[in-house]
């Protein structure tokens, strides 16, 4: 694994700082220009990042535990955000050189195609449809579609209860809403974000929210008295880092970083999702 010092982590949360300091692995205290020792030839994305002097990363910011912005402190946190920080550090960029851009599920491909972001790290499932427009590094996590209902709801206990009289909310442009439309009788209700769906569930406007179980766990943990996850996951979602299509050098670099990170992945999982009780296991990257 490359050795690199992270010299300024002021804006990174304490846990992330620990992780990144661990992944930096430098042996002396002399500050170095972190971008200088990055070997990445032939990547137009990396060339643009270097020219700009900052990296623009698309994220979610309303998904606690995964991609979350604390409006009061301005602090970003979550498993995806720390994966993004880790990749940025591997590319030679510190926290104050990262520009985060909050992008909802439906707009991710277009933002990458338009060159508005350098990469996207936010519960982004690798799919063949999406690969027609963009590429993915990873996967870096695996989860599956789940169901969230009110704590007092005992009529919906699994996806087999998603009958025609049930309204189920998910995000526009997501794999879960597509799955509902194609394979279930329930009435789909769409919003841009999952937090909007949660608000609908909490005020009784919809019967259920569906998306990846990892996302639902974050919302359920925030409101354990009013929300519950029911049933078993009913899809497989492999999270990738969305990148511009055709930049194989960039993709290889990120895959190498994911693959050679030692304990970094596990530390990031434990720091952000350890409380879920799910034992995280880093998946093997897919070198398609
Ligand atoms: N992982 C799913 C997807 O990429 C759902 C989560 C999301 O919308 O970000 O569509």
């Amino acid at each position: 694994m490359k050795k690199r010092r992270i010299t300024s982590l002021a804006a990174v949360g304490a846990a992330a700082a620990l992780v990144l300091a661990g992944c930096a692995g430098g042996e002396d205290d002399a500050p170095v220009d972190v971008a200088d020792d990055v070997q990445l030839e032939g990547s137009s994305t990396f060339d643009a990042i270097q020219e700009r002097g900052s990296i623009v990363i698309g994220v979610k910011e309303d998904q606690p535990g995964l991609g979350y912005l604390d409006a009061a402190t301005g602090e970003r946190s979550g498993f995806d955000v720390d994966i993004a920080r880790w990749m940025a550090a591997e590319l030679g960029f510190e926290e104050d050189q990262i520009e985060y851009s909050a992008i909802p599920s439906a707009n991710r491909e277009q933002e990458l195609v338009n060159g508005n972001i350098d990469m996207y790290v936010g519960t982004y499932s690798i799919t063949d449809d999406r690969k027609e427009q963009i590429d993915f590094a990873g996967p870096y996590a695996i989860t599956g579609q789940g169901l969230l209902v009110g704590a007092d709801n005992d009529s919906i206990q699994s996806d087999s209860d998603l009958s025609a009289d049930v309204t189920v909310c998910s995000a526009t442009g997501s794999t879960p809403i597509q799955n509902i439309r194609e394979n279930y009788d329930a009435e789909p209700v769409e919003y841009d974000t999952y937090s909007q769906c949660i608000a609908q569930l909490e005020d009784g406007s919809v019967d259920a929210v569906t998306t990846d179980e990892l996302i639902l766990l974050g919302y359920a943990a925030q409101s354990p008295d009013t929300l519950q996850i029911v049933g078993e996951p009913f899809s497989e979602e492999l999270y990738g880092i969305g990148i511009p299509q055709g930049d194989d050098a960039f993709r290889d670099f990120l895959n190498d970083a994911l693959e050679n990170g030692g304990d970094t992945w596990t530390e990031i999982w434990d720091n952000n999702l350890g409380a879920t009780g799910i034992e995280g296991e880093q998946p093997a990257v897919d070198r398609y």
Side-chain angles (χ1 to χ4, degrees):
M1 160 175 189
K2 285 172 299 305
K3 295 202 167 184
R4 185 174 310 127
R5 280 205 79 72
I6 307 297
T7 53
S8 159
L9 288 163
V12 181
L18 210 69
V19 167
L20 293 182
C23 113
E27 267 138 32
D28 62 61
D29 290 319
V32 296
D33 180 350
V34 289
D36 272 358
D37 68 347
V38 176
Q39 298 297 314
L40 180 39
E41 303 289 323
S43 164
S44 52
T45 310
F46 184 63
D47 291 349
I49 295 169
Q50 277 202 308
E51 179 116 337
R52 201 189 304 122
S54 65
I55 181 165
V56 186
I57 307 181
V59 291
K60 296 289 184 70
E61 59 183 26
D62 67 335
Q63 298 180 178
L66 291 163
Y68 192 73
L69 174 66
D70 183 325
T73 63
E75 185 80 16
R76 288 183 191 271
S77 63
F79 174 75
D80 284 329
V81 171
D82 281 347
I83 294 285
R85 287 177 170 135
W86 172 27
M87 293 299 108
E90 292 286 340
L91 289 160
F93 289 83
E94 301 175 24
E95 178 70 10
D96 61 0
Q97 298 169 303
I98 302 174
E99 287 173 45
Y100 295 100
S101 178
I103 296 166
S105 297
N107 301 354
R108 295 180 282 206
E109 291 85 78
Q110 202 54 53
E111 290 289 298
L112 282 162
V113 168
N114 291 352
N116 294 337
I117 54 175
D118 300 309
M119 61 174 161
Y120 190 97
V121 192
T123 60
Y124 201 6
S125 295
I126 300 170
T127 71
D128 289 340
D129 273 1
R130 291 170 178 166
K131 278 200 247 173
E132 286 177 13
Q133 296 185 70
I134 62 151
D135 277 323
F136 288 99
Y140 66 87
I142 300 180
T143 181
Q145 185 169 354
L147 270 183
L148 189 72
V149 300
D152 54 359
N153 185 329
D154 46 23
S155 61
I156 303 175
Q157 284 172 4
S158 76
D159 65 308
S160 57
D161 296 320
L162 293 178
S163 49
D165 57 341
V166 170
T167 49
V168 55
C169 190
S170 196
T172 304
S174 68
T175 51
I177 195 79
Q178 196 179 347
N179 189 16
I180 295 297
R181 282 192 191 294
E182 289 173 3
N183 301 310
Y184 291 86
D185 295 330
E187 188 189 327
V189 177
E190 290 185 29
Y191 284 88
D192 284 346
T193 63
Y194 297 109
S195 49
Q196 289 171 298
C197 283
I198 297 297
Q200 296 293 308
L201 179 60
E202 278 177 331
D203 76 9
S205 306
V206 297
D207 299 314
V209 173
T210 186
T211 186
D212 307 333
E213 200 171 73
L214 275 186
I215 300 175
L216 298 178
L217 281 163
Y219 294 120
Q222 279 191 330
S223 308
D225 297 338
T226 53
L227 301 177
Q228 59 170 333
I229 292 177
V230 290
E232 293 299 315
F234 49 100
S235 77
E236 189 178 62
E237 308 293 323
L238 278 67
Y239 288 170
I241 299 174
I243 60 165
Q245 195 176 46
D247 193 339
D248 292 347
F250 195 51
R251 193 167 169 267
D252 286 346
F253 182 92
L254 296 177
N255 277 338
D256 288 348
L258 288 170
E259 210 163 62
N260 301 326
D263 294 336
T264 309
W265 187 96
T266 305
E267 287 172 32
I268 290 175
W269 178 279
D270 289 349
N271 283 338
N272 292 290
L273 298 170
T276 62
I278 299 174
E279 196 152 329
E281 200 183 323
Q282 181 175 11
V285 302
D286 176 14
R287 304 216 174 241
Y288 67 82

